[in-house]
Amino acid sequence: MTFIPFFILLFCAVPIALVLALTSLWYIWTSGNAVLFDSYPQQLFSAIDSYGLMAIPLFMLAGELMNEGGLTSRLINMSRILVGGFRGGLAYINLVANMMMAAIMGSAASQIAIMSRAMVPAMEKEGYDSAYAAAITAAGGLLSPIIPPSMLFVLYGVLAQVPIAEMFIAGILPGIIMSFLFFLVIAVIGLVQQYPKGEWPSRKQSVEFFLMGLPAGLIPVVIIGGILTGLATPTESAALASLGALLIGKYVYKDLELNHLPEILKRTALNSGMVVMLISAAGVFGWVVVYEQLPQAAAGWIAQQTSDPFTFLLMVIGVLILIGMVLDGIAALILVVPILLPIAQQQFGISPYQFGVVVCLTLVMGLLTPPVGAGLFIGSSMTGVPPMKIFRSLMPFLFATLVTLVLLAAIPELVTALI
């Protein structure tokens, strides 16, 4: 009975945070156990009572400051040194720049919005199909949940009670694998479509791009280096990245105006506030799910279907692709982890790191798949290309992502080797 009001509210387009909070209240009311009302505020607060969650608004702030301060454009120019001369050079530049931004922002939606503004017009000027340009930019957003830092990894670490720093490390090899597959896709499409050969920057330009991009390139070094060496927690690294982006944008590149800070902070507060509200409401919903013993019931059903960890993960991938098509990735993560993680660990002996990487990457695919596909609509609004045209051009990249997921499900060491 609990899920009847859940689906009614969901399909009435009620914000997902309210759907979760109201459904939980409905369960308490219909259970007849009025004592649970006393626990409701406590569960709302305890869901967000985590130091690790402070990393989310700080990474959002770092991304906003980088975009306003001109760091993004310098990173794009820096990537020209590495891949600018290949056939379809701007496509490679787009992907490399997205990899750099993924190591800073951690938010797929923000990354797609920023990189669409930065890259798609430039690709269109050089004769690239606008849908293809938008698709590469959207595909770059798929790198954000696994190349550290990642907001989904932060949230998963809190939900699964595993060290966030180790979750970040677990995403390094999968991020490299998926980037390599994306490069192959771009190479094949470039040959088939005969996109123009890029031009390598001259030696003078290369030196200029490198020196100008070096300060911006220090941001991901600070974030990842601090975490890997243990000198800083993910939250502290996010704070250092925000401070670094502010100082570099203001005093090195001199593109950041201090009078823009109130608007930047306002956008960051609104965006992170929505995420925190969602986490709080979902914490109560997760409490209801556990109280109704849904994980145990799901475990019993799955145990009847298979006893093989690889098959179980393939089932999870299939289910989460469907869930991701209709629910936001953060909301879906909060819903499925309390149900599926205990089954993965206790029934199948799957590492929480392997499970987390597979789940987070699968759910972000939903950002780029109809009918909801928020990433498609963000890319469309930024470029003017219809969402379904972007989706059709995006399909080779989604297939490469599926190949990555199958590899990660079959070979746990691809996730756990560096931990």
Side-chain angles (χ1 to χ4, degrees):
M1 293 294 291
T2 303
F3 288 95
I4 294 176
F6 173 83
F7 285 111
I8 290 174
L9 292 170
L10 187 65
F11 286 108
C12 287
V14 175
I16 187 66
L18 286 178
V19 171
L20 299 173
L22 294 174
T23 302
S24 303
L25 283 173
W26 171 270
Y27 168 78
I28 295 172
W29 181 56
T30 55
S31 70
N33 189 354
V35 177
L36 294 178
F37 280 113
D38 296 331
S39 300
Y40 188 87
Q42 181 184 357
Q43 294 296 329
L44 277 173
F45 177 76
S46 63
I48 55 174
D49 184 20
S50 171
Y51 172 72
L53 287 178
M54 289 179 63
I56 292 178
L58 289 170
F59 279 129
M60 286 184 171
L61 177 60
E64 292 282 355
L65 289 169
M66 285 194 67
N67 198 42
E68 288 284 339
L71 281 75
T72 305
S73 60
R74 269 72 175 196
L75 287 176
I76 291 171
N77 283 336
M78 194 184 223
S79 64
R80 292 178 184 272
I81 303 171
L82 301 173
V83 292
F86 295 130
R87 182 177 294 279
L90 266 183
Y92 289 103
I93 291 168
N94 193 342
L95 186 58
V96 171
N98 268 291
M99 290 172 65
M100 293 178 179
M101 291 301 294
I104 299 163
M105 299 194 64
S107 166
S110 300
Q111 187 175 327
I112 292 169
I114 289 172
M115 296 306 292
S116 292
R117 292 199 300 267
M119 287 304 305
V120 174
M123 291 184 70
E124 287 176 335
K125 284 181 184 177
E126 293 202 12
Y128 291 84
D129 179 69
S130 57
Y132 176 63
I136 293 177
T137 309
L142 289 168
L143 297 169
S144 65
I146 53 175
I147 291 182
S150 161
M151 285 199 295
L152 282 184
F153 277 3
V154 171
L155 181 52
Y156 177 83
V158 172
L159 293 171
Q161 296 184 338
V162 297
I164 295 170
E166 292 186 1
M167 275 304 303
F168 284 176
I169 295 170
I172 293 175
L173 280 180
I176 292 171
I177 292 168
M178 195 160 79
S179 301
F180 174 73
L181 292 176
F182 280 8
F183 278 120
L184 286 181
V185 169
I186 290 174
V188 171
I189 293 175
L191 286 173
V192 171
Q193 299 290 338
Q194 285 295 297
Y195 281 119
K197 283 189 175 182
E199 292 185 7
W200 294 107
S202 66
R203 180 169 295 185
K204 181 180 178 182
Q205 285 177 320
S206 296
V207 172
E208 180 185 345
F209 289 161
F210 178 78
L211 292 178
M212 289 300 292
L214 196 57
L218 290 175
I219 301 296
V221 172
V222 167
I223 295 173
I224 300 172
I227 293 168
L228 292 181
T229 58
L231 294 175
T233 66
T235 302
E236 291 164 350
S237 293
L240 289 172
S242 299
L243 177 61
L246 173 64
L247 295 176
I248 292 169
K250 174 61 181 173
Y251 298 107
V252 178
Y253 297 142
K254 300 181 180 179
D255 289 349
L256 180 63
E257 300 291 338
L258 291 182
N259 58 4
H260 293 170
L261 278 180
E263 183 62 29
I264 292 171
L265 293 172
K266 178 183 175 182
R267 286 200 303 267
T268 303
L270 288 173
N271 292 332
S272 58
M274 287 189 290
V275 173
V276 170
M277 276 186 62
L278 183 55
I279 294 169
S280 179
V284 180
F285 189 80
W287 168 58
V288 167
V289 164
V290 173
Y291 199 86
E292 283 204 318
Q293 297 188 325
L294 286 180
Q296 294 88 328
W301 180 83
I302 290 173
Q304 294 174 358
Q305 313 303 315
T306 181
S307 59
D308 177 51
F310 176 61
T311 305
F312 167 73
L313 284 175
L314 290 182
M315 291 171 61
V316 169
I317 291 169
V319 170
L320 293 186
I321 287 174
L322 297 176
I323 292 174
M325 288 180 178
V326 294
L327 279 184
D328 174 76
I330 292 176
L333 186 71
I334 295 169
L335 288 177
V336 302
V337 169
I339 298 174
L340 294 179
L341 180 60
I343 302 170
Q345 289 183 281
Q346 296 163 19
Q347 296 281 120
F348 298 95
I350 295 171
S351 161
Y353 302 104
Q354 181 191 15
F355 184 78
V357 172
V358 168
V359 166
C360 291
L361 179 54
T362 307
L363 287 177
V364 171
M365 284 182 67
L367 190 71
L368 300 173
T369 51
V372 177
L376 292 177
F377 288 98
I378 291 171
S380 176
S381 65
M382 294 293 170
T383 62
V385 182
M388 288 309 297
K389 283 191 70 175
I390 298 176
F391 177 68
R392 285 192 290 271
S393 297
L394 190 62
M395 290 185 73
F397 297 96
L398 293 176
F399 178 75
T401 305
L402 279 175
V403 171
T404 305
L405 284 169
V406 172
L407 288 173
L408 298 180
I411 310 172
E413 291 77 15
L414 293 177
V415 177
T416 59
L418 299 180
I419 300 176

